[in-house]
Amino acid sequence: MDSKDLSGPRYWKSLDDLSETPAFKEWVEREFPAGASELEGVNRRSFMKVMAASFGLAGLGVAGCRRPEQVILPYSKQPENVIPGIPVYYTTSQPGTRAHTPIIVETHTGRPTKIEGNPSYLANGAATSGFTQASLLDLYDPDRATKSFSGTERLSKEKLLDFISQLAEAAKQTGGEGFAVLAEPSSSPSRKRLVEALKAQYPAMLWAEYSPLHDSANEQALAKLLAQTARALPRLDETKRILSLDADFLTGENGIAQSRAFAATRKVKDSKDAKQMSRLYAVESSLTQTGSMADHRLRLSCSQMAAFIAQLGLKILDANAANAALLAAIRKIAATQDIDARWVAECAADLLAYKGQSIVLVGEHLSPAVQAIAVAINQQLAAPIDYVEIPAAEAGIELIAQKLKSKQIDTLLILGGNPAYDAPADLNWPQLQQAAKRSIYFGGAHNETAELANTFIAASHYLESWGDGRAFDGTL
């Protein structure tokens, strides 16, 4: 088509296109398949008609291209406050191993569709983590367990209730002898009362709890030093100097509340307010979200953390007020590694300069000695920390493993978790679980532990079941 046949401004791509040389026209003709230039006018229209009819006839025999037909029935009795298209909200909480997360769930005709934070829980400020948001997908996971089995036999509701009754009757006759329960930790007061009732009814029953993430080292250190089971709650919104020792405190179960509190001390309007901003020191073995926010960051291996905090403790702890035995132990630990002395001295001086507004946070994976030194330093600094009482920890998976090895457990009930996958390798849990005469698994997925169990009981999702729990700060 020549340029004279076109209307409006003409745009060219090359000088040959502009001059419309014969060579360029020939190249344009060869660019398209043979016969394409003839598809004009009536011929092109006829071609499109034939092709449309061909595609239409081809689709008649392809069942996969058709939308599946489903019969939708109206309510025979309309539920109250349920209107199609209008969301209904309810409050609940996502269970965790140490705490529950308060949330608000949006539902449509009874189906949860969106999760948001509960604004009445001020610590989180109506925020949630990505894990909480994603937990909604588990409800609609096609691989989620919905049926219970005993071996290969499917258990109906009636058979399942009969099985539980027989299990309770057998435990009652022996007082719980040979019966053990391995459960995930929970902050639910109702479950704690039920556990106490079970222990009273079956005195010989063994109850233990296990979580693959060991995140209670600080609580164990406080139990030894303060002679009570307590949890430390740092008031980060009142701090001016923070030392994070391999503690990624901006993430985790209480990461939302601590992130908001920390961010409140970092807001400045102009250069005059810069001196009022808090300062973060981070000593860590790998880059974390907390370390990326630090003003001063020191990279050390995990094996050097004890020596670092010991050298820091010698700078901060008062030799006259501190326990002599504690100082002797700290000196011994401090001499094991060569740490940047200037970095330690500057950090200690800055923490002491803001006594009452400085705090040391330690990672839960560090040794009890590190935890104890950190507690002593925080006491010396008068760190802004609240302590909330928590229930005493139950026995761990090691006790269950010991009893299984000695053939003292006949019936093993596993409530959640997946110890066959994440238990310590030296326990060889798959072999231990098979040592029990009968193992029962209660969970929401057919995982490695469920495959080893004699009986599998499908668990409900937390969004379709009732329960209670405490937040990280103890709020019910």
Side-chain angles (χ1 to χ4, degrees), residues 140-420:
Y140 302 104
D141 186 356
D143 294 329
R144 184 168 73 96
T146 57
K147 299 178 179 62
S148 303
F149 291 89
S150 178
T152 58
E153 179 188 1
R154 178 181 170 182
L155 296 178
S156 62
K157 180 179 179 180
E158 293 74 17
K159 290 183 179 180
L160 183 58
L161 293 177
D162 292 340
F163 173 78
I164 296 175
S165 300
Q166 295 172 6
L167 194 66
E169 183 63 28
K172 184 178 181 180
Q173 292 178 359
T174 61
E177 185 71 28
F179 185 79
V181 181
L182 180 63
E184 288 184 301
S186 174
S187 64
S188 170
S190 296
R191 198 187 87 163
K192 181 174 176 57
R193 289 193 297 268
L194 290 174
V195 172
E196 296 299 329
L198 282 174
K199 290 180 178 180
Q201 188 172 0
Y202 310 113
M205 182 192 71
L206 177 61
W207 179 279
E209 295 180 352
Y210 168 72
S211 173
L213 297 179
H214 183 70
D215 51 6
S216 59
N218 183 261
E219 297 170 2
Q220 295 175 4
L222 288 175
K224 294 180 180 179
L225 296 175
L226 305 180
Q228 63 175 351
T229 55
R231 175 179 295 163
L233 300 175
R235 302 193 300 273
L236 296 183
D237 54 340
E238 301 179 11
T239 59
K240 293 297 182 182
R241 297 294 182 266
I242 304 174
L243 170 61
S244 172
L245 190 66
D246 225 8
D248 191 13
F249 64 88
L250 296 181
T251 62
E253 285 191 280
N254 199 35
I256 299 175
Q258 294 187 147
S259 296
R260 291 176 54 83
F262 172 71
T265 65
R266 308 280 284 186
K267 295 180 180 179
V268 293
K269 295 182 179 179
D270 50 41
S271 58
K272 297 180 181 179
D273 297 336
K275 294 183 179 180
Q276 303 298 324
M277 188 174 69
S278 65
R279 183 177 298 170
L280 172 61
Y281 295 86
V283 182
E284 54 188 15
S285 56
S286 59
L287 182 62
T288 63
Q289 181 176 334
T290 302
S292 65
M293 298 290 294
D295 302 288
H296 305 279
R297 181 177 181 270
L298 178 63
R299 185 177 60 182
L300 294 177
S301 64
C302 286
S303 60
Q304 295 176 297
M305 295 298 172
F308 174 86
I309 197 170
Q311 295 180 20
L312 184 75
L314 293 177
K315 298 287 185 182
I316 294 178
L317 296 177
D318 188 353
N320 298 324
N323 186 292
L326 176 62
L327 283 177
I330 291 177
R331 291 191 184 97
K332 185 177 180 180
I333 298 174
T336 58
Q337 296 284 344
D338 185 18
I339 309 296
D340 189 345
R342 182 181 177 185
W343 207 98
V344 174
E346 292 292 341
C347 179
D350 202 9
L351 292 174
L352 285 171
Y354 286 85
K355 191 173 183 178
Q357 294 179 306
S358 56
I359 189 173
V360 177
L361 302 176
V362 179
E364 297 284 357
H365 62 283
L366 297 178
S367 65
V370 174
Q371 305 288 342
I373 297 174
V375 172
I377 293 176
N378 283 327
Q379 290 178 344
Q380 183 69 23
L381 294 174
I385 301 177
D386 294 327
Y387 295 96
V388 56
E389 187 176 359
I390 59 175
E394 298 284 350
I397 192 174
E398 294 79 10
L399 181 59
I400 296 286
Q402 179 183 353
K403 298 295 184 181
L404 285 171
K405 288 180 180 179
S406 58
K407 305 294 183 181
Q408 300 182 36
I409 296 178
D410 297 328
T411 302
L412 175 62
L413 173 61
I414 304 174
L415 302 178
N418 190 8

Side-chain angles (χ1 to χ4, degrees), residues 67-149:
R67 180 183 300 174
E69 296 183 0
Q70 296 180 348
V71 179
I72 301 177
L73 300 177
Y75 287 112
S76 58
K77 183 178 181 181
Q78 179 71 25
E80 186 178 3
N81 298 327
V82 175
I83 303 174
I86 305 299
V88 176
Y89 301 87
Y90 70 92
T91 60
T92 183
S93 62
Q94 181 197 17
T97 56
R98 301 174 67 191
H100 280 226
T101 302
I103 57 176
I104 290 181
V105 181
E106 176 184 345
T107 66
H108 288 267
T109 60
R111 295 177 176 85
T113 56
K114 188 66 171 70
I115 293 177
E116 293 293 349
N118 192 333
S120 61
Y121 183 62
L122 302 180
N124 285 359
T128 58
S129 66
F131 294 101
T132 303
Q133 295 281 348
S135 66
L136 177 66
L137 301 178
D138 292 335
L139 180 63
Y140 302 104
D141 186 356
D143 294 329
R144 184 168 73 96
T146 57
K147 299 178 179 62
S148 303
F149 291 89

